[in-house]
């Protein structure tokens, strides 16, 4: 990235020392915490192009478009299954739709400057630009992953742990590439988990998958032959 392009991207950054553009006044402006600033500064100092590119690529796994496509495929595939499976697929599709819409709604009324707009050193070290400048809070990707991690309670223990581990890892990529402050990711993840639990009250989603479905997910244990 040329120095000219970098300055153009950072011209409305308060910490960058540039003149700020006029933005519509939000209902709420969220400020980063002291730990947020310390974490972002450490990442900016130690960032390198290859890990940043990898983090940006991995973060697509938590993108709403990818998740909506997967949820829709799962919903279509469940149409010929029994009632409990259909309820789970209905819940998952509704959950992903709601989790995709909620961050957009919140960001219309809540402003927070992304950390990637408040660093020059980070961009020189390979940190990319992400999304709109004032859309840091909450992290939509983390909100999606919180919803998925909560919904993973339907799965047997091993797949559940795997899904939740992946969800946490993908959420952390948003901190790595300075798309969000750490608190944005934590808040988004918790919101997504709460959204899943709230929607269960209305969708009739069972607390666990039926045993027949779990058998196709859980690895079979070796046993004696009769």
């Amino acid at each position: 990235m040329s120095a000219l392009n970098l300055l153009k991207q950072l011209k409305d950054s308060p910490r960058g020392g540039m003149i700020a553009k006029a933005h519509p006044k939000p209902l709420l402006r969220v400020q980063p915490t002291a730990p947020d600033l310390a974490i972002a500064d450490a990442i900016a100092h130690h960032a390198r192009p290859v890990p940043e590119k990898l983090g940006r690529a991995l973060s697509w796994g938590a993108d709403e478009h990818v998740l909506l496509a997967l949820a829709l495929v799962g919903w279509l595939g469940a149409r010929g299954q029994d009632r409990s499976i259909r309820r789970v697929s209905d819940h998952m599709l509704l959950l992903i739709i709601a989790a995709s819409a909620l961050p957009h709604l919140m960001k219309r009324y809540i402003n927070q400057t992304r950390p990637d707009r408040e660093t020059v050193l980070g961009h020189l070290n390979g940190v990319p630009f992400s999304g709109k400048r004032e859309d840091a809070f909450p992290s939509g990707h983390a909100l999606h992953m919180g919803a998925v991690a909560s919904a993973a309670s339907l799965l047997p223990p091993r797949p559940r742990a795997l899904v939740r581990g992946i969800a946490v890892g993908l959420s952390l990529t948003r901190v790595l590439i300075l798309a969000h402050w750490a608190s944005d990711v934590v808040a988004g993840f918790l919101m997504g988990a709460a959204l899943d639990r709230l929607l269960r009250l209305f969708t009739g989603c069972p607390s666990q998958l039926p045993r027949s479905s779990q058998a196709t997910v859980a690895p079979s244990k070796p046993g004696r032959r009769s």
Side-chain angles (χ1 to χ4, degrees), residues 200-211:
R200 289 193 194 194
L201 300 176
F202 303 96
T203 60
C205 182
S207 58
Q208 285 189 331
L209 287 174
R211 292 183 179 274

Side-chain angles (χ1 to χ4, degrees), residues 28-32 36 103 106-108 110-118 130-143 174-175 178-189 191:
L28 176 66
R29 172 166 285 280
V30 178
Q31 299 295 337
D36 285 334
M106 294 183 67
K107 290 176 183 182
R108 292 184 62 182
I110 302 175
N111 277 11
Q112 186 185 43
T113 305
R114 291 183 186 271
D116 65 6
R117 299 311 202 275
E118 301 198 352
S130 301
K132 296 180 180 179
R133 177 183 182 271
E134 297 295 329
D135 281 359
F137 185 90
S139 168
H141 287 66
L143 196 152
R174 305 302 287 171
V175 180
L178 295 183
H180 295 282
W181 305 99
S183 60
D184 302 333
V185 169
V186 173
F189 200 92
M191 288 178 191

